[in-house]
Amino acid sequence: MKLYNCSLESLGEQLAKGEISAVELTRSLLERISAVDDVIGSYLTVDAEGALVQAEAADLRRRQGDNVTRLTGIPIALKDLISTVGLPTTCASKMLASYRPEYDATVVSRLRQAGAVITGKLNMDEFAMGSSTENSAFQKTCNPWDLERVPGGSSGGSTAAVAAATAIATLGSDTGGSIRQPASFCGVVGMKPTYGRVSRYGLIAFASSLDQIGPVTLTVADSALLLGVIAGYDERDSTSVDTPVVDYYKNLKKEINGLKVGLPLEYLGAGLDPEVETAVRLACSQLSAAGALIDESVSLPHTDYAVASYYLLATAEASSNLARYDGVKYGFRAEGAEGLLEMYKKTRAQGFGDEVKRRIMLGTYALSSGYYDAYYRKAQQVRTLITRDFDKVFADCDVIVAPVCPTPAFAFGEKIDDPLAMYLSDILTIPVNLAGLPAISVPCGFTKSGLPIGLQIIARPFAEETLLNVAWQYEQLGGWCGRRPELEKKVG
Ligand code: GLN
């Protein structure tokens, strides 16, 4: 098998046995990127030179037996809102097109400490606002399974890269579903950790009370390996939580006999594509055959209010987080303005795309005096009700399973002019962010037309160990992970 096609787990073993070198592996990835990324469009920046230098350093580390980890020499790419010192970090926005951070995000420092090789930065919806990656100011990213369709979003570059084998693993961020939804569209494994599990230091903020960084990988074992490196307390993020990081990889294979699984009726409601429902139900019956106890009577009654509450809270936080892009401190500044106020206005009018502007306006409105109680406070109250819904289910169930998205990948242009239709594609992922829970999307089948479908598994706060264990067991039962599209035919 070509090196770029292998899992992180298997490459870690090949590197450990000395069968391959990090330089060889990195070259294989860089060649793959040159061969297919013109068509897929995952990468905004490829740091070929830097990657080879890091790979040489990783090989040296291995030869000297100096602090070698399972990630030493593994090429990893990052969503372009994760700060990397000296390397562009654009948020796929004109506003940050020329921005090069002075520091690394904590997740990046941890990857470097583990000896990973950072190959580049990946496309996304501008400031992570969107569900299709069509809101990137720079380029479109195609779904490797069907080039006419979107990869999902906002981490579409991160999931398309893993599906197209232009990265061994990537990091994305998930504020309302942006790792899980594109993972389901691209047929890869995407996990959103518990809020506070992974440091947000150096993650450019969209909605701070919801954002989490998480791994995108080919398999569940790879997800466990990557999470183990990036998770953990960080004094630089005041919302990071000081609970121990367990060896997620070591604990994957536990039996799931007697495990209680809730299948919430609200997640199988109207609007759900029949092929998605069939795949999710089949996954449940396979879990049940393996000894899990499926409870179809569980209910999350406030699910219907999640999208409305999210789009008030997320936009309110965004309007405040994005106030810093004023043309003064860093980033883009419009030319030819007379006076400070005009400079602000022109900078923000030219620097931000339509969706970002729409959200800033929505959020500013929701926070304005007179509306604050009616919108923002109300949305916070709904958030509490949604969290309590989950608490009640988790009093009895170990995990919840559900679809990730009501539909498989949609076509370019299908929803871009209808913001509400786009927002509704997040209906099954948003409640998890509002409640701060960990969740994962694992491939669970394909539609007749060959589009991947994802199974969502949700666990209690900080129960990533259980989450990954169930996901791994399902991965063996389902047999859908690790597949990749035959891109050679598509890109010629
Ligand atoms: N699609 C959702 C939104 O547009 C979620 C985005 C995200 O998780 N970053 O807000």
Side-chain angles (χ1 to χ4, degrees):
M1 200 195 289
K2 297 268 201 264
L3 292 183
Y4 57 72
N5 261 325
C6 298
S7 68
L8 190 164
E9 185 185 26
S10 123
L11 289 166
E13 283 161 16
Q14 297 177 51
L15 284 163
K17 287 188 197 142
E19 292 168 0
I20 57 168
S21 71
V23 168
E24 231 176 296
L25 172 57
T26 303
R27 285 225 168 88
S28 158
L29 259 302
L30 292 171
E31 276 161 27
R32 175 70 173 173
I33 295 170
S34 311
V36 303
D37 202 54
D38 277 354
V39 174
I40 301 298
S42 278
Y43 279 83
L44 291 176
T45 303
V46 180
D47 183 22
E49 213 177 298
L52 287 168
V53 171
Q54 296 169 67
E56 274 166 23
D59 283 335
L60 182 66
R61 220 163 127 164
R62 236 174 236 286
R63 277 200 300 278
Q64 298 180 335
D66 170 21
N67 188 19
V68 175
T69 76
R70 284 206 182 87
L71 259 73
T72 306
I74 302 284
I76 306 247
L78 308 167
K79 186 175 180 178
D80 209 18
L81 45 36
I82 298 176
S83 300
T84 39
V85 66
L87 207 59
T89 300
T90 69
C91 279
S93 179
K94 196 175 163 194
M95 198 56 107
L96 290 175
S98 57
Y99 175 56
R100 283 173 163 72
E102 299 288 328
Y103 63 97
D104 276 332
T106 294
V107 291
V108 177
S109 313
R110 291 192 177 173
L111 286 174
R112 292 197 204 279
Q113 271 159 24
V117 172
I118 312 291
T119 53
K121 307 298 288 287
L122 301 161
N123 200 21
M124 54 185 279
D125 284 301
E126 184 177 6
F127 283 100
M129 298 174 187
S131 307
S132 66
T133 311
E134 290 168 291
N135 292 332
S136 166
F138 304 126
Q139 69 192 36
K140 89 179 193 186
T141 299
C142 297
N143 189 315
W145 292 93
D146 179 343
L147 303 178
E148 308 290 308
R149 288 175 189 267
V150 303
S154 62
S155 313
S158 303
T159 58
V162 174
T166 55
I168 300 306
T170 63
L171 293 183
S173 70
D174 193 311
T175 305
S178 277
I179 291 176
R180 289 160 288 154
Q181 183 257 26
S184 81
F185 282 15
C186 291
V188 297
V189 176
M191 101 150 277
K192 175 221 169 281
T194 309
Y195 185 76
R197 177 72 293 181
V198 174
S199 169
R200 290 183 298 112
Y201 178 76
L203 167 71
I204 296 181
F206 160 16
S208 313
S209 79
L210 299 154
D211 300 340
Q212 262 299 284
I213 297 173
V216 178
T217 54
L218 190 62
T219 66
V220 176
D222 287 3
S223 188
L225 286 169
L226 193 45
L227 180 68
V229 170
I230 61 168
Y233 176 67
D234 178 15
E235 60 180 17
R236 286 171 157 160
D237 171 4
S238 60
T239 60
S240 108
V241 178
D242 196 1
T243 46
V245 178
V246 294
D247 187 340
Y248 302 112
Y249 180 69
K250 205 174 88 196
N251 295 317
L252 288 175
K253 299 184 181 169
K254 266 187 279 176
E255 290 301 318
I256 54 164
N257 206 1
L259 183 96
K260 288 192 178 167
V261 177
L263 181 63
L265 57 111
E266 290 82 2
Y267 282 49
L268 298 168
L272 187 64
D273 183 291
E275 287 187 288
V276 173
E277 175 161 1
T278 306
V280 169
R281 286 197 181 274
L282 178 64
C284 283
S285 52
Q286 288 173 315
L287 287 169
S288 156
L293 309 167
I294 313 287
D295 183 352
E296 286 203 37
S297 68
V298 304
S299 170
L300 297 164
H302 296 94
T303 302
D304 271 356
Y305 307 103
V307 171
S309 138
Y310 169 88
Y311 277 94
L312 287 167
L313 298 173
T315 57
E317 292 185 31
S319 81
S320 132
N321 275 326
L322 272 59
R324 71 190 69 171
Y325 305 105
D326 58 4
V328 176
K329 297 177 206 69
Y330 50 81
F332 171 76
R333 175 187 292 183
E335 298 292 325
E338 278 179 27
L340 187 63
L341 195 62
E342 201 192 318
M343 191 278 287
Y344 285 158
K345 283 188 183 167
K346 277 197 165 171
T347 294
R348 290 168 71 81
Q350 295 170 18
F352 290 133
D354 287 349
E355 183 60 26
V356 175
K357 287 184 201 160
R358 184 178 296 123
R359 303 232 183 166
I360 292 173
M361 287 191 281
L362 263 171
T364 307
Y365 184 81
L367 287 176
S368 53
S369 72
Y371 293 111
Y372 180 90
D373 284 332
Y375 295 120
Y376 185 77
R377 187 187 303 277
K378 201 48 136 201
Q380 289 285 28
Q381 288 165 339
V382 172
R383 182 174 191 174
T384 303
L385 294 175
I386 288 171
T387 307
R388 286 192 193 142
D389 282 357
F390 280 110
D391 289 346
K392 279 187 203 136
V393 172
F394 283 128
D396 196 41
C397 291
D398 299 300
V399 293
I400 291 172
V401 298
V404 178
C405 184
T407 65
F410 45 87
F412 284 104
E414 201 177 312
K415 300 193 185 193
I416 197 73
D417 297 324
D418 185 352
L420 206 56
M422 191 74 94
Y423 295 174
L424 284 171
S425 74
D426 305 325
I427 192 158
L428 306 175
T429 46
I430 277 175
V432 165
N433 299 74
L434 291 171
L437 303 170
I440 194 165
S441 171
V442 188
C444 72
F446 286 84
T447 63
K448 284 194 198 74
S449 55
L451 299 173
I453 302 173
L455 177 73
Q456 182 170 211
I457 308 173
I458 308 167
R460 297 185 183 112
F462 297 98
E464 278 82 3
E465 189 182 346
T466 308
L467 182 74
L468 288 159
N469 169 221
V470 179
W472 188 87
Q473 288 291 358
Y474 170 69
E475 181 181 44
Q476 316 311 308
L477 298 165
W480 299 106
C481 285
R483 299 187 187 208
R484 282 195 162 119
E486 287 181 38
L487 263 186
E488 286 65 24
K489 283 187 198 154
K490 296 184 179 150
V491 299

